[in-house]
Amino acid sequence: MTTFSCFILACVLVIGIIVTGAEGRPRAFFIFGDSLVDNGNNNYLATTARADAPPYGIDYAPSHRPTGRFCNGYNIPDLISQQLGAESTLPYLSPELRGNRLLVGANFASAGIGILNDTGIQFVNVIRMYRQLELFQEYQSRVSALIGSSQTKSLVNQALVLITVGGNDFVNNYFLVPNSARSRQYPLPQYVKYLISEYQKLLQKLYDLGARRVLVTGTGPLGCVPSELAQRGRNGECAAELQRAAELFNPQLEQMLLQLNRKIGKDVFIAANTGKMHNNFVSNPQQFGFITAKVACCGQGPYNGLGLCTPLSNLCSNRGQYAFWDAFHPSEKANRLIVEEIMSGSRAYMNPMNLSTILALDAITT
């Protein structure tokens, strides 16, 4: 281990002491995006995009009950919160999010949404990205009433932010139906460029609202999820057009983030190549302890990829051996492996740096 590595490790070990609020709180954590990171906002909305019935949450400790997370257990925000030494953030719409619990942060994510406002229109009443950012402003007003505007600004500036959005702009928009409105408007490469330009506006707004450390995840292997294998795949092969979409989107997203950082003059935005992480499971599931990365644990039809996960669905008993929990979403085991890479992955996965390095550097400068 190099001297610099030892220095970084030492900083990480004292992170809980140094990068905390005035009262010794872990840094706040804010989450934006879609069902991959929603932890229950849609429970409070009149929408079909919900995960509030069994067997969702079957492994969620300690209740083993559905919470609104699209997973059998913990999702990526939960696992990052654990790394921060903090409790999981509450959904912003939860009535429990009040008083000092606001200082932990908040989750604004909503299943079904995308970068574009017309993504997921079939889910009707969901919190689209522009509205998530409005709620973030509202959150800051609520916290200002609690601790004052100066302390609120510090809390937000020192917070960690995670944003996961983009997959639905393909699955629940461009490729939702043959000859969709967006596919008639744009060839796929131009659509990806349009998405990236719209995403940049959202990220700039997030920065303007005070975010200074933002993890931005790419899309997963869109054509290889059980739903697409069931509906579009041929002989168990990933759906080529959706894979092409992910292969176009993820590198352009990473380049856009690096350009934003150069414009700002600081490494605000961190590209988390979760697509590459998940592709590792797909190409070699056994290496990661999975028996399959094609069949969902919960579902029905080919690859358990048709329809929703419900109490009547097929349900695997060995959930830690499945990369996918349902037709679209990773299992808790897969989420844990992804967060391991977020924490300590090389620049191929985390550009320009991983979360452990971020925490160490912030410990030095705070």
Side-chain angles (χ1 to χ4, degrees):
M1 184 180 285
T2 66
T3 303
F4 180 73
S5 298
C6 292
F7 174 65
I8 288 293
L9 178 60
C11 292
V12 171
L13 292 175
V14 297
I15 195 69
I17 300 169
I18 301 177
V19 186
T20 57
E23 291 77 33
R25 294 184 303 270
R27 70 197 296 170
F29 185 28
F30 302 107
I31 300 99
F32 302 87
D34 58 26
S35 59
L36 290 166
V37 292
D38 182 357
N39 68 348
N41 278 310
N42 281 20
N43 288 0
Y44 303 95
L45 302 172
T47 177
T48 55
R50 298 164 74 109
D52 59 346
Y56 285 98
I58 189 170
D59 298 309
Y60 183 81
S63 66
H64 299 277
R65 296 172 62 84
T67 61
R69 292 163 172 82
F70 286 74
C71 190
N72 58 304
Y74 292 128
N75 63 11
I76 287 170
D78 292 318
L79 297 166
I80 291 176
S81 289
Q82 290 173 18
Q83 294 289 339
L84 296 176
E87 60 187 283
S88 290
T89 55
L90 287 170
Y92 186 70
L93 299 186
S94 170
E96 296 176 27
L97 187 66
R98 59 184 187 275
N100 283 340
R101 296 201 75 173
L102 284 162
L103 306 182
V104 175
N107 187 316
F108 301 90
S110 179
I113 65 97
I115 295 164
L116 305 180
N117 289 335
D118 59 295
T119 290
I121 54 173
Q122 70 273 31
F123 301 124
V124 188
N125 191 18
V126 289
I127 314 171
R128 306 196 184 284
M129 275 307 310
Y130 77 91
R131 181 61 180 153
Q132 290 186 29
L133 295 178
E134 288 176 353
L135 292 175
F136 187 38
Q137 288 180 282
E138 180 183 286
Y139 163 89
Q140 293 186 43
S141 297
R142 291 174 65 188
V143 174
S144 291
L146 196 67
I147 62 173
S149 58
S150 176
Q151 285 262 55
T152 299
K153 185 177 187 295
S154 295
L155 181 142
V156 171
N157 288 166
Q158 294 171 14
L160 182 68
V161 177
L162 171 68
I163 182 167
T164 295
V165 68
N168 282 328
D169 292 287
F170 298 105
V171 174
N172 282 307
N173 192 331
Y174 194 87
F175 292 106
L176 179 61
V177 293
N179 299 311
S180 67
R182 287 296 189 185
S183 67
R184 293 195 306 271
Q185 183 181 11
Y186 295 105
L188 184 60
Q190 281 65 48
Y191 180 66
V192 170
K193 286 182 180 177
Y194 174 58
L195 285 180
I196 295 295
S197 69
E198 292 301 299
Y199 202 174
Q200 182 169 342
K201 294 173 190 175
L202 293 171
L203 294 174
Q204 182 65 52
K205 177 70 171 174
L206 194 54
Y207 177 80
D208 294 343
L209 291 173
R212 295 295 180 268
R213 284 295 193 194
V214 186
L215 302 177
V216 185
T217 68
T219 71
L222 298 174
C224 302
V225 300
S227 173
E228 300 304 333
L229 289 178
Q231 296 179 72
R232 301 173 193 270
R234 300 279 178 87
N235 302 317
E237 295 297 314
C238 299
E241 275 296 276
L242 277 154
Q243 283 298 91
R244 180 167 171 251
E247 289 161 6
L248 287 169
F249 180 83
N250 288 330
Q252 290 183 49
L253 173 62
E254 188 167 327
Q255 286 308 306
M256 179 264 281
L257 298 176
L258 296 175
Q259 288 167 13
L260 265 179
N261 286 342
R262 283 195 290 271
K263 175 186 167 187
I264 293 166
K266 292 181 180 177
D267 289 328
V268 172
F269 297 101
I270 311 299
N273 195 338
T274 47
K276 185 179 181 68
M277 298 172 197
H278 224 130
N279 274 327
N280 291 342
F281 310 156
V282 170
S283 59
N284 193 354
Q286 286 74 27
Q287 181 182 336
F288 297 91
F290 298 119
I291 58 173
T292 179
K294 293 179 183 288
V295 180
C297 173
C298 182
Q300 48 279 314
Y303 307 100
N304 281 342
L306 298 180
L308 301 172
C309 171
T310 74
L312 300 178
S313 296
N314 301 320
L315 179 64
C316 70
S317 58
N318 49 340
R319 293 176 287 278
Q321 294 181 300
Y322 282 69
F324 286 97
W325 158 245
D326 65 11
F328 288 105
H329 303 99
S331 63
E332 180 186 300
K333 168 73 177 296
N335 285 334
R336 287 186 180 279
L337 292 169
I338 289 168
V339 171
E340 284 178 14
E341 290 291 352
I342 288 173
M343 289 302 300
S344 58
S346 67
R347 187 168 284 200
Y349 296 93
M350 297 293 297
N351 193 3
M353 67 190 96
N354 60 41
L355 184 51
S356 292
T357 304
I358 291 167
L359 296 179
L361 290 173
D362 290 352
I364 298 163
T365 58
T366 299

